[in-house]
Amino acid sequence: MTDEVVRRRVGFRRSWDWPLFATAALVAFNVVWLAVGLAVPWGHPVVGWLPLPVTALLAGYACWQVTRQSALDAGTRRFWRQLRGACGLFIAGTIANTVDAVGSRVPSQRVGPVTLTLYLLMVGVVMWALLRLPSWQRSRSDWIRFGLDACMVLITVAAIVWHFSLRDHQQWVTQTGSAWAMLSLAVVGFLSMASFVKVAFAGAGRLDRRSLHILAVGSAISAAFGSLSPFLVSRPYLSSSLIAVPVAALSIHLAAVRQLRAGASMPAPRRRSRRVSTIPYLSVAATDGLLLATGSVDPTETAIMEVAAVTLTFLVIVRQIIALRDNHQLLATVDAQLADLRRYQEQLEYQATHDSLTTAGNRALLEQHVEQLLADGQPFHLVLLDVDDFKTVNDRLGHGVGDALLTLLSTRLTTIVGDLGMVARLGGDEFAAALRTDATSVEVLVDDILAAIREPADLGPHTLKTATSIGIATSWVGDTPKELLRRADVAMYTAKAAGGDRRHWFDPAMDRAADENARLSADLRNALPTGQIFALYQPIVDLATGETIGGEVLMRWRHPDRGLVPPDVFIPLAEQNGCITELGYWVLQQSCQQAADWQRRYRDRAPSKISVNVSARQLADRHFVDNVETILRETDVDASQLVLEVTETAVLTTDLAAEQLGRLKQLGPRIALDDFGTGHSSLSLLLTCPVDVLKVDKSFVSGAAADGAGAIITKNLAGFITDFGIEAVAEGVETTAQADRLRQAGYRLAQGFLYGRPMPAADFEELFTRVGAHTST
Ligand code: C2E
Ligand code: CA
Ligand code: CA
């Protein structure tokens, strides 16, 4: 309860207790007056009439107070305004009634036409006010049922009123001077019943429920007192109005007080009460009871009661039929809603367990399914697929093409797997399938999948060649979906590391390898501070003279337990754990220092170029160029003699690459494209990047492809490159035959075991200072 409400209530009590008290006192006075009058003939009839207009006035005053409450809603305020108007008519009616009774010399129970009209108007206004109160929202059949209930209540009440009061109408007529008074009373009674029934069944807007009850009870008591008239025939100085009017006024007064106390608080939501549904039966029972009570004493009475009983029974039947039909409809609606709910639930479940792009199952569904298979105890296989180079498709052709490709691959996959298992998309370009076949069948199936995915994907303007790496793991006793997926994942990575477009079974050795890598990676962090890292120099020679004109710096790691760890192993680890930035900085610093030292000491005889490898991660580092600048300044090396080797892949996968290389060149070093021919081999790179040197990969020179395709490629490359003004270095020269072929093809520079393996700085120094040296080893 808010403070404001409390204040209002307290204030209200203080200013309102006296009029209510006065009304109550006047009602009590008239009750006593009537009682005494019944016992002893009475000489001063006018005194008993005086309280009537006073109580009506006080009731009107109370209503006026309510209409001043601005917090009330418009509908309720209107009701109390109309009730206030009714009180005006009430006051006038009581005055006219008094004049009728005591205006002539002899006291009379006559009710004159003016009185009757005023009272009728007053009741009419109250009824109108009640009927105008807003109703609850109801359906058509609710209204029909309400109409039937109202009719039943009215018929029952009419029968009761008839039985106990109106059947003595003859007496009324003589008593009040005409049949009008009785008829109007009947009409008023009927109308007020109808209004209250309406309000009780259909609601009264935000009008205070308690006020309404007070009004209903008050008017019922007042009506009951009114119908006492026949008992007063022998006492013309008394009238039923003497008590009926003050009671009516008191009830209006109390109702207004109650509304004031409740303020604007919303009435509690109406519960469908049990009584409402028992009304038809109570009505029938009451009327049947009356029928039995009247028996055969009075044929008119019996006929009236019979008609009432039959009508009621008919109405009850109609109501019952309607109720049955409604229940039927309700059941149908509930059924339909349940069906909707079920459909909605299914949709939700589908969305929660399926991938929206490919409509394959998602990770959650796969895990559920695998859980079920594990619970069943039958061994099965989990296959994990990862599309090779999918990132390139997405980056180069856009996500639209990427999505279309994934959808197509998903369709191929589900078609091949069919009902041999369940396919799911785990996210990105990763798919998985749980297969309930034996190991041999799994291999056949997986090979089919590899072949199907290798088929060119025709996506509108683009035709893409794709491949996947697949890992296979077999379920073990006590497995969990996560562990099984992990093993398939390890196997898949092995397949990917081996070049992709292949399958690999999970092997516990893979786990050991992964563990070892993790240990090695940890050791690598300590390698530089503890002096385990050192640099070797491999000569680069002039093919024509065999003279060492430069060298490539190659990093080495001497592990305290494992001995020499090859760079093919530790460089990728350093790239992964980030050590490469530090290692790269160190190598560059060492090389520059060494080169500067040789330049100072040997001048013209010093190697004219020292090549240092730069990893992708270094190239992507924003501080890389600044770091190089610092090193160049600190070591005071002739920057034009420094060559920085970057791989094609590093350039292609680094957003900053072109910009960084441009800035690097401004500092003086030259740029070499390493391992040319193994990556994307995109000659267009030579146009967009400031490349000075091309290092043709050893696979074309001494590898498996060296004699056939390799020979043709190296030959064509040489011509092409010189046209661009780029210098070529052939890597991996191992035999004199290879050296001869390269020379004939037009190569000027070479590097390889034929001329020298990577060696310590001191050995390298000895090599280039040996004038006219041709070959070593
Ligand atoms: P790379 O840059 O292509 O280096 C040349 C590799 O070819 C060296 O392997 C070298 O020993 C080897 N090689 C030279 N001549 C022959 C030959 O006649 N036949 C054969 N079969 N091989 C020959 P290495 O030293 O094991 O280095 C492997 C790779 O590790 C390097 O390939 C390079 O990518 C990386 N690497 C080495 N040192 C560094 C470094 O300081 N920084 C970075 N970022 N990467 C490095
Ligand atoms: Ca290199
Ligand atoms: Ca190379």
Side-chain angles (χ1 to χ4, degrees), residues 333-346:
T333 323
V334 169
D335 273 355
Q337 280 172 349
L338 272 179
D340 278 354
L341 206 69
R342 228 171 285 131
R343 212 171 317 123
Y344 183 59
Q345 178 73 28
E346 277 164 15

mmCIF file with all atom_site columns, all heavy atoms in Angstrom, residues 333-346:
data_model
loop_
_atom_site.group_PDB
_atom_site.id
_atom_site.type_symbol
_atom_site.label_atom_id
_atom_site.label_alt_id
_atom_site.label_comp_id
_atom_site.label_asym_id
_atom_site.label_entity_id
_atom_site.label_seq_id
_atom_site.pdbx_PDB_ins_code
_atom_site.Cartn_x
_atom_site.Cartn_y
_atom_site.Cartn_z
_atom_site.occupancy
_atom_site.B_iso_or_equiv
_atom_site.pdbx_formal_charge
_atom_site.auth_seq_id
_atom_site.auth_comp_id
_atom_site.auth_asym_id
_atom_site.auth_atom_id
_atom_site.pdbx_PDB_model_num
ATOM 1   N N   . THR A 1 333 ? -10.058 -27.255 -30.748 1.00 0.00 ? 333 THR A N   1
ATOM 2   C CA  . THR A 1 333 ? -9.057  -26.188 -30.710 1.00 0.00 ? 333 THR A CA  1
ATOM 3   C C   . THR A 1 333 ? -7.810  -26.655 -29.972 1.00 0.00 ? 333 THR A C   1
ATOM 4   O O   . THR A 1 333 ? -6.680  -26.432 -30.408 1.00 0.00 ? 333 THR A O   1
ATOM 5   C CB  . THR A 1 333 ? -9.615  -24.951 -29.973 1.00 0.00 ? 333 THR A CB  1
ATOM 6   O OG1 . THR A 1 333 ? -10.979 -24.830 -30.304 1.00 0.00 ? 333 THR A OG1 1
ATOM 7   C CG2 . THR A 1 333 ? -8.866  -23.706 -30.356 1.00 0.00 ? 333 THR A CG2 1
ATOM 8   N N   . VAL A 1 334 ? -8.044  -27.316 -28.831 1.00 0.00 ? 334 VAL A N   1
ATOM 9   C CA  . VAL A 1 334 ? -6.909  -27.801 -28.042 1.00 0.00 ? 334 VAL A CA  1
ATOM 10  C C   . VAL A 1 334 ? -6.088  -28.788 -28.868 1.00 0.00 ? 334 VAL A C   1
ATOM 11  O O   . VAL A 1 334 ? -4.858  -28.717 -28.897 1.00 0.00 ? 334 VAL A O   1
ATOM 12  C CB  . VAL A 1 334 ? -7.405  -28.458 -26.736 1.00 0.00 ? 334 VAL A CB  1
ATOM 13  C CG1 . VAL A 1 334 ? -6.267  -29.199 -26.054 1.00 0.00 ? 334 VAL A CG1 1
ATOM 14  C CG2 . VAL A 1 334 ? -7.970  -27.408 -25.807 1.00 0.00 ? 334 VAL A CG2 1
ATOM 15  N N   . ASP A 1 335 ? -6.788  -29.681 -29.582 1.00 0.00 ? 335 ASP A N   1
ATOM 16  C CA  . ASP A 1 335 ? -6.097  -30.645 -30.443 1.00 0.00 ? 335 ASP A CA  1
ATOM 17  C C   . ASP A 1 335 ? -5.225  -29.930 -31.459 1.00 0.00 ? 335 ASP A C   1
ATOM 18  O O   . ASP A 1 335 ? -4.050  -30.261 -31.642 1.00 0.00 ? 335 ASP A O   1
ATOM 19  C CB  . ASP A 1 335 ? -7.115  -31.513 -31.187 1.00 0.00 ? 335 ASP A CB  1
ATOM 20  C CG  . ASP A 1 335 ? -7.503  -32.715 -30.338 1.00 0.00 ? 335 ASP A CG  1
ATOM 21  O OD1 . ASP A 1 335 ? -6.895  -32.870 -29.254 1.00 0.00 ? 335 ASP A OD1 1
ATOM 22  O OD2 . ASP A 1 335 ? -8.400  -33.467 -30.742 1.00 0.00 ? 335 ASP A OD2 1
ATOM 23  N N   . ALA A 1 336 ? -5.832  -28.927 -32.114 1.00 0.00 ? 336 ALA A N   1
ATOM 24  C CA  . ALA A 1 336 ? -5.100  -28.191 -33.146 1.00 0.00 ? 336 ALA A CA  1
ATOM 25  C C   . ALA A 1 336 ? -3.894  -27.498 -32.539 1.00 0.00 ? 336 ALA A C   1
ATOM 26  O O   . ALA A 1 336 ? -2.796  -27.517 -33.107 1.00 0.00 ? 336 ALA A O   1
ATOM 27  C CB  . ALA A 1 336 ? -6.016  -27.172 -33.802 1.00 0.00 ? 336 ALA A CB  1
ATOM 28  N N   . GLN A 1 337 ? -4.089  -26.906 -31.349 1.00 0.00 ? 337 GLN A N   1
ATOM 29  C CA  . GLN A 1 337 ? -2.979  -26.205 -30.712 1.00 0.00 ? 337 GLN A CA  1
ATOM 30  C C   . GLN A 1 337 ? -1.868  -27.166 -30.324 1.00 0.00 ? 337 GLN A C   1
ATOM 31  O O   . GLN A 1 337 ? -0.687  -26.859 -30.470 1.00 0.00 ? 337 GLN A O   1
ATOM 32  C CB  . GLN A 1 337 ? -3.465  -25.456 -29.475 1.00 0.00 ? 337 GLN A CB  1
ATOM 33  C CG  . GLN A 1 337 ? -4.135  -24.139 -29.844 1.00 0.00 ? 337 GLN A CG  1
ATOM 34  C CD  . GLN A 1 337 ? -4.797  -23.472 -28.661 1.00 0.00 ? 337 GLN A CD  1
ATOM 35  O OE1 . GLN A 1 337 ? -4.938  -24.091 -27.607 1.00 0.00 ? 337 GLN A OE1 1
ATOM 36  N NE2 . GLN A 1 337 ? -5.216  -22.242 -28.852 1.00 0.00 ? 337 GLN A NE2 1
ATOM 37  N N   . LEU A 1 338 ? -2.279  -28.340 -29.844 1.00 0.00 ? 338 LEU A N   1
ATOM 38  C CA  . LEU A 1 338 ? -1.283  -29.352 -29.475 1.00 0.00 ? 338 LEU A CA  1
ATOM 39  C C   . LEU A 1 338 ? -0.470  -29.771 -30.692 1.00 0.00 ? 338 LEU A C   1
ATOM 40  O O   . LEU A 1 338 ? 0.746   -29.915 -30.624 1.00 0.00 ? 338 LEU A O   1
ATOM 41  C CB  . LEU A 1 338 ? -1.972  -30.577 -28.885 1.00 0.00 ? 338 LEU A CB  1
ATOM 42  C CG  . LEU A 1 338 ? -2.216  -30.529 -27.383 1.00 0.00 ? 338 LEU A CG  1
ATOM 43  C CD1 . LEU A 1 338 ? -2.926  -31.795 -26.927 1.00 0.00 ? 338 LEU A CD1 1
ATOM 44  C CD2 . LEU A 1 338 ? -0.901  -30.380 -26.629 1.00 0.00 ? 338 LEU A CD2 1
ATOM 45  N N   . ALA A 1 339 ? -1.188  -29.937 -31.817 1.00 0.00 ? 339 ALA A N   1
ATOM 46  C CA  . ALA A 1 339 ? -0.502  -30.328 -33.049 1.00 0.00 ? 339 ALA A CA  1
ATOM 47  C C   . ALA A 1 339 ? 0.493   -29.237 -33.441 1.00 0.00 ? 339 ALA A C   1
ATOM 48  O O   . ALA A 1 339 ? 1.638   -29.531 -33.807 1.00 0.00 ? 339 ALA A O   1
ATOM 49  C CB  . ALA A 1 339 ? -1.508  -30.550 -34.167 1.00 0.00 ? 339 ALA A CB  1
ATOM 50  N N   . ASP A 1 340 ? 0.054   -27.966 -33.349 1.00 0.00 ? 340 ASP A N   1
ATOM 51  C CA  . ASP A 1 340 ? 0.950   -26.843 -33.657 1.00 0.00 ? 340 ASP A CA  1
ATOM 52  C C   . ASP A 1 340 ? 2.176   -26.887 -32.780 1.00 0.00 ? 340 ASP A C   1
ATOM 53  O O   . ASP A 1 340 ? 3.303   -26.718 -33.239 1.00 0.00 ? 340 ASP A O   1
ATOM 54  C CB  . ASP A 1 340 ? 0.225   -25.512 -33.409 1.00 0.00 ? 340 ASP A CB  1
ATOM 55  C CG  . ASP A 1 340 ? -0.644  -25.144 -34.594 1.00 0.00 ? 340 ASP A CG  1
ATOM 56  O OD1 . ASP A 1 340 ? -0.558  -25.871 -35.603 1.00 0.00 ? 340 ASP A OD1 1
ATOM 57  O OD2 . ASP A 1 340 ? -1.393  -24.150 -34.494 1.00 0.00 ? 340 ASP A OD2 1
ATOM 58  N N   . LEU A 1 341 ? 1.927   -27.122 -31.500 1.00 0.00 ? 341 LEU A N   1
ATOM 59  C CA  . LEU A 1 341 ? 2.991   -27.133 -30.509 1.00 0.00 ? 341 LEU A CA  1
ATOM 60  C C   . LEU A 1 341 ? 4.013   -28.215 -30.833 1.00 0.00 ? 341 LEU A C   1
ATOM 61  O O   . LEU A 1 341 ? 5.216   -28.007 -30.776 1.00 0.00 ? 341 LEU A O   1
ATOM 62  C CB  . LEU A 1 341 ? 2.378   -27.384 -29.133 1.00 0.00 ? 341 LEU A CB  1
ATOM 63  C CG  . LEU A 1 341 ? 3.158   -26.851 -27.962 1.00 0.00 ? 341 LEU A CG  1
ATOM 64  C CD1 . LEU A 1 341 ? 3.116   -25.333 -27.955 1.00 0.00 ? 341 LEU A CD1 1
ATOM 65  C CD2 . LEU A 1 341 ? 2.578   -27.385 -26.659 1.00 0.00 ? 341 LEU A CD2 1
ATOM 66  N N   . ARG A 1 342 ? 3.448   -29.388 -31.197 1.00 0.00 ? 342 ARG A N   1
ATOM 67  C CA  . ARG A 1 342 ? 4.322   -30.510 -31.516 1.00 0.00 ? 342 ARG A CA  1
ATOM 68  C C   . ARG A 1 342 ? 5.187   -30.182 -32.733 1.00 0.00 ? 342 ARG A C   1
ATOM 69  O O   . ARG A 1 342 ? 6.376   -30.437 -32.765 1.00 0.00 ? 342 ARG A O   1
ATOM 70  C CB  . ARG A 1 342 ? 3.474   -31.757 -31.783 1.00 0.00 ? 342 ARG A CB  1
ATOM 71  C CG  . ARG A 1 342 ? 3.990   -32.966 -31.017 1.00 0.00 ? 342 ARG A CG  1
ATOM 72  C CD  . ARG A 1 342 ? 3.032   -34.129 -31.102 1.00 0.00 ? 342 ARG A CD  1
ATOM 73  N NE  . ARG A 1 342 ? 1.865   -33.965 -30.262 1.00 0.00 ? 342 ARG A NE  1
ATOM 74  C CZ  . ARG A 1 342 ? 0.612   -34.131 -30.651 1.00 0.00 ? 342 ARG A CZ  1
ATOM 75  N NH1 . ARG A 1 342 ? 0.333   -34.463 -31.889 1.00 0.00 ? 342 ARG A NH1 1
ATOM 76  N NH2 . ARG A 1 342 ? -0.387  -33.976 -29.803 1.00 0.00 ? 342 ARG A NH2 1
ATOM 77  N N   . ARG A 1 343 ? 4.524   -29.557 -33.747 1.00 0.00 ? 343 ARG A N   1
ATOM 78  C CA  . ARG A 1 343 ? 5.247   -29.212 -34.964 1.00 0.00 ? 343 ARG A CA  1
ATOM 79  C C   . ARG A 1 343 ? 6.364   -28.208 -34.641 1.00 0.00 ? 343 ARG A C   1
ATOM 80  O O   . ARG A 1 343 ? 7.491   -28.317 -35.088 1.00 0.00 ? 343 ARG A O   1
ATOM 81  C CB  . ARG A 1 343 ? 4.290   -28.615 -35.988 1.00 0.00 ? 343 ARG A CB  1
ATOM 82  C CG  . ARG A 1 343 ? 4.698   -28.947 -37.399 1.00 0.00 ? 343 ARG A CG  1
ATOM 83  C CD  . ARG A 1 343 ? 3.632   -28.533 -38.406 1.00 0.00 ? 343 ARG A CD  1
ATOM 84  N NE  . ARG A 1 343 ? 2.286   -28.857 -37.980 1.00 0.00 ? 343 ARG A NE  1
ATOM 85  C CZ  . ARG A 1 343 ? 1.304   -27.962 -37.859 1.00 0.00 ? 343 ARG A CZ  1
ATOM 86  N NH1 . ARG A 1 343 ? 1.521   -26.688 -38.096 1.00 0.00 ? 343 ARG A NH1 1
ATOM 87  N NH2 . ARG A 1 343 ? 0.101   -28.329 -37.483 1.00 0.00 ? 343 ARG A NH2 1
ATOM 88  N N   . TYR A 1 344 ? 6.018   -27.226 -33.814 1.00 0.00 ? 344 TYR A N   1
ATOM 89  C CA  . TYR A 1 344 ? 6.967   -26.194 -33.431 1.00 0.00 ? 344 TYR A CA  1
ATOM 90  C C   . TYR A 1 344 ? 8.148   -26.805 -32.688 1.00 0.00 ? 344 TYR A C   1
ATOM 91  O O   . TYR A 1 344 ? 9.312   -26.488 -32.944 1.00 0.00 ? 344 TYR A O   1
ATOM 92  C CB  . TYR A 1 344 ? 6.237   -25.183 -32.559 1.00 0.00 ? 344 TYR A CB  1
ATOM 93  C CG  . TYR A 1 344 ? 7.070   -24.010 -32.148 1.00 0.00 ? 344 TYR A CG  1
ATOM 94  C CD1 . TYR A 1 344 ? 7.652   -23.181 -33.100 1.00 0.00 ? 344 TYR A CD1 1
ATOM 95  C CD2 . TYR A 1 344 ? 7.263   -23.719 -30.804 1.00 0.00 ? 344 TYR A CD2 1
ATOM 96  C CE1 . TYR A 1 344 ? 8.419   -22.112 -32.730 1.00 0.00 ? 344 TYR A CE1 1
ATOM 97  C CE2 . TYR A 1 344 ? 8.030   -22.648 -30.421 1.00 0.00 ? 344 TYR A CE2 1
ATOM 98  C CZ  . TYR A 1 344 ? 8.608   -21.845 -31.383 1.00 0.00 ? 344 TYR A CZ  1
ATOM 99  O OH  . TYR A 1 344 ? 9.371   -20.795 -30.996 1.00 0.00 ? 344 TYR A OH  1
ATOM 100 N N   . GLN A 1 345 ? 7.805   -27.729 -31.788 1.00 0.00 ? 345 GLN A N   1
ATOM 101 C CA  . GLN A 1 345 ? 8.832   -28.422 -31.003 1.00 0.00 ? 345 GLN A CA  1
ATOM 102 C C   . GLN A 1 345 ? 9.791   -29.169 -31.931 1.00 0.00 ? 345 GLN A C   1
ATOM 103 O O   . GLN A 1 345 ? 11.012  -29.109 -31.779 1.00 0.00 ? 345 GLN A O   1
ATOM 104 C CB  . GLN A 1 345 ? 8.126   -29.403 -30.057 1.00 0.00 ? 345 GLN A CB  1
ATOM 105 C CG  . GLN A 1 345 ? 9.051   -30.237 -29.206 1.00 0.00 ? 345 GLN A CG  1
ATOM 106 C CD  . GLN A 1 345 ? 9.667   -29.399 -28.116 1.00 0.00 ? 345 GLN A CD  1
ATOM 107 O OE1 . GLN A 1 345 ? 9.057   -28.419 -27.684 1.00 0.00 ? 345 GLN A OE1 1
ATOM 108 N NE2 . GLN A 1 345 ? 10.859  -29.743 -27.707 1.00 0.00 ? 345 GLN A NE2 1
ATOM 109 N N   . GLU A 1 346 ? 9.193   -29.856 -32.935 1.00 0.00 ? 346 GLU A N   1
ATOM 110 C CA  . GLU A 1 346 ? 10.019  -30.605 -33.881 1.00 0.00 ? 346 GLU A CA  1
ATOM 111 C C   . GLU A 1 346 ? 10.955  -29.669 -34.643 1.00 0.00 ? 346 GLU A C   1
ATOM 112 O O   . GLU A 1 346 ? 12.119  -29.972 -34.860 1.00 0.00 ? 346 GLU A O   1
ATOM 113 C CB  . GLU A 1 346 ? 9.135   -31.362 -34.877 1.00 0.00 ? 346 GLU A CB  1
ATOM 114 C CG  . GLU A 1 346 ? 8.637   -32.681 -34.311 1.00 0.00 ? 346 GLU A CG  1
ATOM 115 C CD  . GLU A 1 346 ? 7.468   -33.241 -35.104 1.00 0.00 ? 346 GLU A CD  1
ATOM 116 O OE1 . GLU A 1 346 ? 7.224   -32.777 -36.247 1.00 0.00 ? 346 GLU A OE1 1
ATOM 117 O OE2 . GLU A 1 346 ? 6.773   -34.130 -34.570 1.00 0.00 ? 346 GLU A OE2 1
#
